[in-house]
Amino acid sequence: MNGPVLIVGAGQAGVQTAEALRAGGFAGPITLLGDEPHAPYHRPPLSKAWLAGEMDAAQLVMRAPEMLARKTIELRTGVKVTAIDRAAKAVTLVDGSTLAYERLVLATGARPRALPLPGADARGVLALRSRDDASAIAARLDLCLAQSRPVVVIGGGFIGLEVAATARKKGLAVTVLEAAPRLLGRVLAPQLSDWYAQLHRSHGAQLLLGAQVAAIEHDAARTVTGVRLGDGSVHPAGLVVVGIGVEPNDELARACGLACERGIVVDACSRTSDPDIVAAGDCTARRAADGSLLRLESVQNATEQGKSAAAALLGQERPFTATPWFWSDQYDRKLQMAGLSSGATHWVLRGDMDGGSFTVWHYRDATLLAADSVNASREHLLARKLLDAGVSPTPEQAQDSGFDLASLLPRA
């Protein structure tokens, strides 16, 4: 392969693929197409340090254009791809021009799920995905602070809770509306869900679980004034942040006939149903050996799939098989998650929840599935090693703080 490689998407996965291609010895043209006007930037700080005003634009940059240029990676920002012609091996841009490729990388990411309710298009109803989204929310937070108006967050997932924590740190009144009976119910053990609910309440946030949002209230100028629930109650708001999940940006892939199901379907090496196209990051759904599909939305997934995609383009096998891990910062607590807890039948606690440093270990029968650590980075790293090695401490060993879990790891 010596012909041009086009990468659609200039986020974590796209940048990683480009750099891994160069590191792997590919000397042909690489063009990175980003539909945003900004150079590649880090997304995790958007709901935390960037939103809080604790990080400037220079600190947010992932790769400056000149850094990419030194690796002879051409970055084109503000470029939207509208179609893929697999037969001609070319993409069409929004201005009607085309670009040819020998190999194509789709790293198109995901978009916030829209709120399908009356008034959802009112001014001041915002979602958080991009740098511009975060800047708009930050400006609205400042306006609410100046006018003493409250903030309502719809959705008690990670993004919603991180925004809520940031808004509370700024001194704003915050209400979180979650439709489920507990926070982060799909990923956290019940006791940890309850702990996070108490954490937010202890910092002055109001939480309403089982809340059914009916509509967004607004004034004659279509500026948000509140959120109406199914019981008729209204929660006043100068800003509504919608955090009800994301949807993969797989429209380009679907339109050109690539296999898509919950995202662009890829194998463990990021290969799609077209041998000349790979995909990586939040836009993908990875087909497991048993036929199931796994969607992961994380920096680690984007990074590792980018490396796998580059290897596949170079004719190599580099399956992404490492234990998935994630993190979330809320107030002064860092949650670090390792593994996938779906299917857990029971949980054990190691450490002191009241003291604020502990790990919840997820088990299916006697098999360790995952571990969620709060302000316990050493145990998080240890859990990743145990899961990577396929080693399951007994539940009794896991909950015994005096037991040396590292002693269970195979020796080099």
Side-chain angles (χ1 to χ4, degrees), residues 266-317:
V266 297
D267 65 9
C269 294
S270 299
R271 293 175 291 226
T272 72
S273 54
D274 184 321
D276 295 322
I277 303 177
V278 294
D282 291 359
C283 63
T284 66
R286 180 155 38 107
R287 182 77 71 184
D290 62 3
S292 63
L293 287 169
L294 177 63
R295 268 191 54 73
L296 297 174
E297 299 155 15
S298 70
V299 170
Q300 179 219 18
N301 183 62
T303 300
E304 295 302 322
Q305 281 194 319
K307 293 176 182 177
S308 294
L313 294 178
L314 295 169
Q316 303 164 1
E317 294 279 319

Side-chain angles (χ1 to χ4, degrees), residues 67-403:
M67 182 182 296
L68 294 171
R70 284 198 293 270
K71 299 178 180 180
T72 60
I73 297 168
E74 181 186 2
L75 171 66
R76 295 180 59 182
T77 57
V79 175
K80 183 174 177 58
V81 176
T82 59
I84 300 167
D85 186 334
R86 292 166 55 195
K89 299 186 77 169
V91 302
T92 302
L93 307 184
V94 71
D95 63 2
S97 63
T98 60
L99 292 173
Y101 66 83
E102 182 178 352
R103 298 288 191 271
L104 181 65
V105 181
L106 298 178
T108 48
R111 63 187 180 279
R113 185 172 290 121
L115 188 67
L117 292 174
D121 59 347
R123 187 181 297 106
V125 179
L126 301 170
L128 176 52
R129 184 67 182 179
S130 69
R131 172 177 162 174
D132 289 344
D133 292 339
S135 295
I137 291 173
R140 199 79 193 179
L141 287 173
D142 289 343
L143 181 64
C144 288
L145 198 57
Q147 298 179 348
S148 298
R149 301 186 67 189
V151 175
V152 173
V153 175
I154 300 176
F158 287 120
I159 292 295
L161 293 178
E162 288 170 0
V163 171
T166 301
R168 281 300 302 140
K169 287 167 69 175
K170 282 178 168 283
L172 287 152
V174 176
T175 298
V176 177
L177 305 174
E178 168 56 49
R182 59 188 179 93
L183 298 178
L184 299 162
R186 288 181 297 176
V187 292
L188 297 187
Q191 65 193 121
L192 191 49
S193 289
D194 293 344
W195 186 88
Y196 265 100
Q198 178 55 35
L199 175 68
H200 280 268
R201 286 175 173 137
S202 71
H203 281 84
Q206 181 182 11
L207 300 184
L208 271 72
L209 304 176
Q212 301 302 312
V213 178
I216 305 298
E217 302 278 323
H218 55 80
D219 60 19
R222 295 199 66 80
T223 298
V224 66
T225 58
V227 178
R228 176 159 46 88
L229 301 186
D231 62 7
S233 62
V234 175
H235 293 268
L239 164 66
V240 174
V241 178
V242 180
I244 55 173
V246 299
E247 296 178 348
N249 291 326
D250 60 2
E251 293 82 5
L252 283 172
R254 287 181 183 275
C256 75
L258 292 180
C260 293
E261 185 181 349
R262 297 176 57 210
I264 305 170
V265 176
V266 297
D267 65 9
C269 294
S270 299
R271 293 175 291 226
T272 72
S273 54
D274 184 321
D276 295 322
I277 303 177
V278 294
D282 291 359
C283 63
T284 66
R286 180 155 38 107
R287 182 77 71 184
D290 62 3
S292 63
L293 287 169
L294 177 63
R295 268 191 54 73
L296 297 174
E297 299 155 15
S298 70
V299 170
Q300 179 219 18
N301 183 62
T303 300
E304 295 302 322
Q305 281 194 319
K307 293 176 182 177
S308 294
L313 294 178
L314 295 169
Q316 303 164 1
E317 294 279 319
R318 189 192 184 281
F320 170 32
T321 57
T323 296
W325 53 265
F326 317 84
W327 83 91
S328 175
D329 294 317
Q330 298 170 43
Y331 305 108
D332 57 348
R333 308 297 194 206
K334 177 178 284 293
L335 170 65
Q336 293 172 287
M337 309 169 69
L340 299 171
S341 60
S342 177
T345 55
H346 60 286
W347 306 269
V348 298
L349 173 67
R350 184 184 182 96
D352 179 14
M353 295 186 94
D354 292 335
S357 177
F358 59 89
T359 299
V360 176
W361 302 78
H362 302 249
Y363 282 86
R364 181 175 58 233
D365 301 325
T367 301
L368 178 66
L369 299 181
D372 301 335
S373 302
V374 174
N375 286 11
S377 294
R378 182 180 177 277
E379 285 194 359
H380 166 72
L381 293 173
L382 183 55
R384 282 164 54 181
K385 291 178 181 179
L386 290 167
L387 289 163
D388 278 339
V391 173
S392 292
T394 67
E396 293 74 21
Q397 290 170 334
Q399 67 184 348
D400 180 1
S401 297
F403 181 79

